[in-house]
Amino acid sequence: MTDSNLMFRPATELAAMVRSGEVSSRELVEISLARIEQLNPELNAFVDVDDERALATAEKIGPGDERPFAGVPIAIKNNRPVAGLRTTIGCSLLAEHISEHDCSITRRLKEAGFVIVGTTTLPEYGILPVSEARLFGPTLNPWDTERTPGGSSGGSAAAVASGMVPVAHGNDGGGSIRIPAAC
């Protein structure tokens, strides 16, 4: 098994590996960040990558951590605040808006032990079924870059499908997870 294959394993399995000491959270986060650096220039799945904080958070997680997802890298769709990162909702008006707080979902994911590595693309205001905001440009499907990964959680879908992260936050009001799942 190559290191990058770890990003295709279930989050619960990765957390168990961290808990047992088979792999460290830092190793998982480093693999995730390397995959993002390698693949994101073409796929454009991430808005922001938070290398330093992700690695610092991972360093604090060790074997025996009983949280259900301790040490597992995750990405958050860029329509939910993550303290210290931009929350743009794909909108040029909010292009430089830095969140001062975590929303409840972000906070709860952190409390469960996930390590946030960054935020993912979406269409402006999450309205369209493709992730092609003018602010970010199009996000591409890692299985066929001539196609869309769908939307509005397309950045999250592309990040998981390409193995940049083993799991990512998405939300759905009109097909925003279901459309990327179909794509």
Side-chain angles (χ1 to χ4, degrees), residues 76-163:
I76 306 295
K77 184 176 172 181
N78 195 253
N79 67 350
R80 295 295 177 257
V82 177
L85 295 181
R86 294 183 298 161
T87 304
T88 68
I89 314 170
C91 170
S92 298
L93 180 66
L94 298 171
E96 300 305 320
H97 172 72
I98 305 293
S99 297
E100 296 179 5
H101 70 283
D102 288 329
C103 72
S104 60
I105 290 290
T106 303
R107 180 180 42 77
R108 292 184 73 184
L109 289 169
K110 286 179 176 180
E111 289 170 356
F114 282 111
V115 178
I116 297 172
V117 295
T119 60
T120 57
T121 59
L122 70 157
E124 191 168 17
Y125 299 115
I127 294 172
L128 297 176
V130 294
S131 293
E132 297 181 2
R134 282 180 286 188
L135 179 59
F136 310 125
T139 299
L140 305 179
N141 187 321
W143 294 346
D144 181 349
T145 56
E146 296 293 315
R147 298 179 184 270
T148 181
S152 72
S153 300
S156 290
V160 171
S162 65

Side-chain angles (χ1 to χ4, degrees), residues 4 7-9 34 37 89 126 128 130 149 175 179:
S4 62
M7 293 298 106
F8 292 101
R9 289 198 169 183
E37 184 178 346
I89 314 170
L128 297 176
V130 294
I179 294 167

Side-chain angles (χ1 to χ4, degrees), residues 26-100:
R26 183 175 179 97
E27 289 172 304
L28 293 178
V29 170
E30 285 175 343
I31 293 165
S32 175
L33 293 171
R35 298 275 300 168
I36 293 166
E37 184 178 346
Q38 174 192 5
L39 300 172
N40 198 58
E42 180 182 12
L43 300 178
N44 191 35
F46 278 82
V47 172
D48 287 321
V49 179
D50 198 7
D51 306 62
E52 289 181 24
R53 280 197 310 171
L55 289 168
T57 299
E59 281 294 326
K60 297 175 187 170
I61 299 170
D65 192 316
E66 290 300 319
R67 293 177 293 169
F69 297 102
V72 178
I74 190 171
I76 306 295
K77 184 176 172 181
N78 195 253
N79 67 350
R80 295 295 177 257
V82 177
L85 295 181
R86 294 183 298 161
T87 304
T88 68
I89 314 170
C91 170
S92 298
L93 180 66
L94 298 171
E96 300 305 320
H97 172 72
I98 305 293
S99 297
E100 296 179 5

